[in-house]
Amino acid sequence: ASDRFLSGHLYQNSLVNFWRTWLWPLVSQRCASYAKKRIFRQGNSSNSSRHATVFAYFRLIGKGANWQTHIQQRQTSATEFRSSCASWSEAMEPFLTTSQKMVRESIRRFSENTVLPLARDIDAKDEFPSGLYQELANMGIFGSEVRETLGGSGFDTKTTCIIIEELARCSGSIGNIFAIPVESIRFILEHGNKRQQKLIPSIISGKRIPASCASEPEAGSDFSAIRTSAVQDGSDYLINGTKAWVSLGLVADLIFVFAKTDPAAGHRGI
């Protein structure tokens, strides 16, 4: 599935089911057992009441841990889910600036009016929504954390999180699509040379679509375990390795390949 544009959709669903039906009940039971042992060991110590609370919580969760039955009993529609997300977002009101609230409302309107009607087809057809991608670019949000002198919006990280939250509220796929150029631009800003930084305006405008080759079949979350090597050959590098799960890989104009120039140095050799 690594060569598919949105291959993660079914995979993510299977992970959610695995977590709900097997892993979470197991974790809750183990945690309850651990907390119970701590209570008996500490007796009337100051931490006893805290562990008793933890035990009671996980025991409660453990008893209701048949998530499959729970899901059948409470089928939440997409509309209700988006409403609950909106309510959660509104609960953050005291912590948001006026500018952040304005951005949130603007992206929410765009997401509900433009993204939501296309969300089902995006997942079902598994095709890159080039038109929608360009609309996001035209809004200037790919440069959300880039200073205005470089053509960005000059937002902070919290504002970027608000944007991705509002997009993902209507389509998880679009939320992920938005994240790719944002993280690519930030990587170039912090680690790229001057020649690479000249690419930033074209990514912000949507003229160039980026992708990152980081994960490998044997190295996903453990990034330091990547095996792809880069050996300098004159002014070039010979790259040897295998990459997987490259989001936007099939449509990318720019691909950032992470490799090790010094395998013995571990993560410092990337």
Side-chain angles (χ1 to χ4, degrees):
S2 61
D3 63 344
R4 299 294 290 164
F5 162 61
L6 293 172
S7 59
H9 183 66
L10 294 177
Y11 177 66
Q12 290 170 358
N13 285 344
S14 65
L15 284 180
V16 170
N17 290 333
F18 170 73
W19 168 257
R20 288 174 170 172
T21 59
W22 187 84
L23 189 56
W24 174 244
L26 177 63
V27 170
S28 64
Q29 291 168 7
R30 293 289 176 86
C31 289
S33 176
Y34 168 77
K36 188 175 181 180
K37 290 178 181 178
R38 296 284 293 183
I39 293 171
F40 288 130
R41 287 177 183 174
Q42 295 184 10
N44 295 322
S45 68
S46 59
N47 289 328
S48 180
S49 59
R50 182 181 63 182
H51 287 296
T53 302
V54 172
F55 169 64
Y57 170 76
F58 279 108
R59 183 176 59 182
L60 175 63
I61 295 296
K63 284 185 177 179
N66 188 344
W67 280 95
Q68 214 153 10
T69 302
H70 176 75
I71 293 170
Q72 291 173 353
Q73 291 173 348
R74 180 169 178 170
Q75 288 290 340
T76 304
S77 68
T79 302
E80 290 172 335
F81 175 73
R82 288 191 299 274
S83 177
S84 65
C85 289
S87 299
W88 172 258
S89 180
E90 288 163 2
M92 296 295 293
E93 286 283 338
F95 306 99
L96 303 180
T97 65
T98 301
S99 174
Q100 289 168 344
K101 292 177 183 178
M102 291 175 62
V103 170
R104 184 188 62 185
E105 293 307 314
S106 176
I107 300 300
R108 179 174 296 180
R109 285 195 301 271
F110 172 81
S111 189
E112 292 181 347
N113 295 334
T114 306
V115 176
L116 184 59
L118 303 175
R120 184 182 294 274
D121 284 343
I122 290 172
D123 287 344
K125 294 180 179 179
D126 198 20
E127 297 176 351
F128 178 67
S130 56
L132 189 51
Y133 184 90
Q134 190 57 52
E135 287 191 58
L136 293 173
N138 293 341
M139 296 173 68
I141 57 177
F142 290 161
S144 60
E145 296 186 27
V146 179
R147 57 184 182 271
E148 295 182 29
T149 55
L150 292 177
S153 303
F155 296 144
D156 58 6
T157 301
K158 183 188 288 187
T159 305
T160 301
C161 292
I162 291 171
I163 294 173
I164 193 171
E165 181 181 71
E166 290 301 326
L167 291 173
R169 193 167 64 89
C170 290
S171 171
S173 299
I174 295 301
N176 187 50
I177 287 175
F178 164 73
I180 304 302
V182 171
E183 67 184 25
S184 298
I185 291 172
R186 183 161 185 170
F187 180 79
I188 297 174
L189 276 176
E190 296 183 6
H191 304 287
N193 55 39
K194 291 183 179 179
R195 179 171 171 269
Q196 292 167 333
Q197 290 180 356
K198 291 180 180 179
L199 298 170
I200 291 176
S202 63
I203 298 177
I204 294 176
S205 66
K207 292 181 179 179
R208 285 192 172 99
I209 300 173
S212 297
C213 287
S215 298
E216 298 180 2
E218 291 81 23
S221 300
D222 184 9
F223 189 48
S224 64
I226 64 172
R227 299 179 180 178
T228 299
S229 63
V231 179
Q232 192 163 8
D233 180 25
S235 59
D236 299 324
Y237 278 90
L238 296 178
I239 299 176
N240 184 24
T242 303
K243 295 295 183 178
W245 308 297
V246 183
S247 298
L248 304 188
L250 290 180
V251 296
D253 303 298
L254 299 169
I255 297 180
F256 299 90
V257 181
F258 292 84
K260 285 185 176 179
T261 54
D262 183 7
H267 69 278
R268 297 183 181 277
I270 299 176

